Amino acid sequence: SCTRLFTTILKTDLQKAEPNPAHLAITRLQNEYKNGTVSVVTQNVDLLHEKAGNRNVYHIHGQIDQAVCMNCGRVITTWGEVTTETVCPGCGVPAMMKPNIVFFGENLLRMNEVDALLDKCRLLIAVGTSGAVYPANTFARIAKYHGADTVELNLHTTVNNYDFDRHIVGRAGETLPVFVDELLAETSRFFDPRVSFPEKRRRRNLESEGAVSALSSRFPPRRSIPGFVRCRDSGGRVFWR
């Protein structure tokens, strides 16, 4: 079938692919960033993030090196071909395995975890996405609603550019390493006791004085977002539309 041919060719090509400087810049950011945990939410089904050494990677469109049983939900790792003769090692039922990538009309993966990340996100960086595909194109708006700074790096202006505080135009392999350098330099200054950051210091003072409510009121728990409705799919996963 066309799908079988597509995934077979795709698997062959992706096994040969190597990370670019943008992937490596993320690894450096994760290793050296001092102001929180860096997570990666990707729509790509390849494993270039993992090849580059990225951690905390959430594949919302699945992974090309996996297959999933539509009968029992068992996920296996395989670069081999999945056919109608493939038997699920979990339930033993044949002809129910499919590549663990999201096809048209299927629910995205790991959205409950992504939802939790957006709740506590303080800096969202969108790299190389058009901003036209739902629901990923809502991530920046949701994070920004909860107080996050938002930055986009892209070749062109995106359709949801109004959700971002900063816009960097250019190839990700060229722009992201430079941005990471800037970000790490900024956080290094923040953690240098000789440098004063009045706003951040003011927040720390408020917290130490028990005035946490003055800050939490700025970032209330997400119960509603203007223009969005919180929904759950048949599997109990949360999404916004």
Side-chain angles (χ1 to χ4, degrees):
S1 67
C2 292
T3 301
R4 179 176 168 184
L5 179 62
F6 167 74
T7 54
T8 300
I9 295 175
L10 189 62
K11 284 183 176 182
T12 301
D13 290 343
L14 291 183
Q15 286 185 82
K16 300 176 183 177
E18 294 296 330
N20 64 38
H23 297 99
L24 300 175
I26 295 172
T27 299
R28 183 182 172 217
L29 183 62
Q30 289 185 320
N31 290 337
E32 301 181 25
Y33 190 62
K34 302 175 181 178
N35 202 23
T37 301
V38 178
S39 298
V40 180
V41 178
T42 180
Q43 299 177 85
N44 297 331
V45 300
D46 58 50
L47 300 181
L48 294 180
H49 286 292
E50 287 81 358
K51 278 188 176 183
N54 294 180
R55 304 180 302 277
N56 308 321
V57 182
Y58 299 82
H59 287 270
I60 61 175
H61 284 176
Q63 297 179 212
I64 194 64
D65 69 329
Q66 293 180 346
V68 60
C69 178
M70 294 183 288
N71 182 58
C72 70
R74 174 76 174 271
V75 176
I76 63 171
T77 299
T78 177
W79 283 103
E81 189 177 16
V82 177
T83 71
T84 55
E85 297 178 358
T86 303
V87 176
C88 173
C91 62
V93 177
M96 294 298 288
M97 301 294 293
K98 66 176 281 289
N100 192 28
I101 56 178
V102 176
F103 294 135
F104 183 78
E106 294 181 332
N107 292 323
L108 299 188
L109 307 177
R110 309 194 69 174
M111 287 302 293
N112 280 342
E113 295 162 285
V114 172
D115 192 60
L117 289 174
L118 295 174
D119 273 339
K120 60 186 179 182
C121 177
R122 286 297 173 262
L123 174 62
L124 184 143
I125 307 168
V127 182
T129 178
S130 66
V133 180
Y134 176 86
N137 62 352
T138 66
F139 292 171
R141 186 184 306 180
I142 293 171
K144 190 172 184 178
Y145 175 79
H146 288 281
D149 293 320
T150 54
V151 182
E152 68 168 346
L153 295 88
N154 212 308
L155 283 173
H156 311 288
T157 301
T158 56
V159 297
N160 65 333
N161 64 86
Y162 47 81
D163 289 329
F164 295 93
D165 303 309
R166 183 179 176 187
H167 314 271
I168 301 174
V169 178
R171 294 180 178 276
E174 299 169 359
T175 59
L176 188 56
V178 174
F179 176 77
V180 167
D181 288 341
E182 294 176 356
L183 184 59
L184 291 175
E186 178 182 333
T187 54
S188 293
R189 289 178 62 234
F190 175 81
F191 281 92
D192 187 338
R194 297 167 297 178
V195 179
S196 172
F197 284 77
E199 173 63 13
K200 294 182 183 297
R201 182 167 293 170
R202 184 183 70 82
R203 293 187 180 188
R204 287 199 300 271
N205 290 340
L206 281 173
E207 291 176 337
S208 65
E209 295 167 5
V212 177
S213 60
L215 293 177
S216 61
S217 63
R218 293 183 55 194
F219 309 113
R222 185 177 352 153
R223 294 296 179 268
S224 63
I225 295 179
F228 287 85
V229 177
R230 187 181 180 117
C231 307
R232 288 186 182 273
D233 61 24
S234 58
R237 290 178 286 266
V238 172
F239 66 97
W240 294 80
R241 60 182 308 167

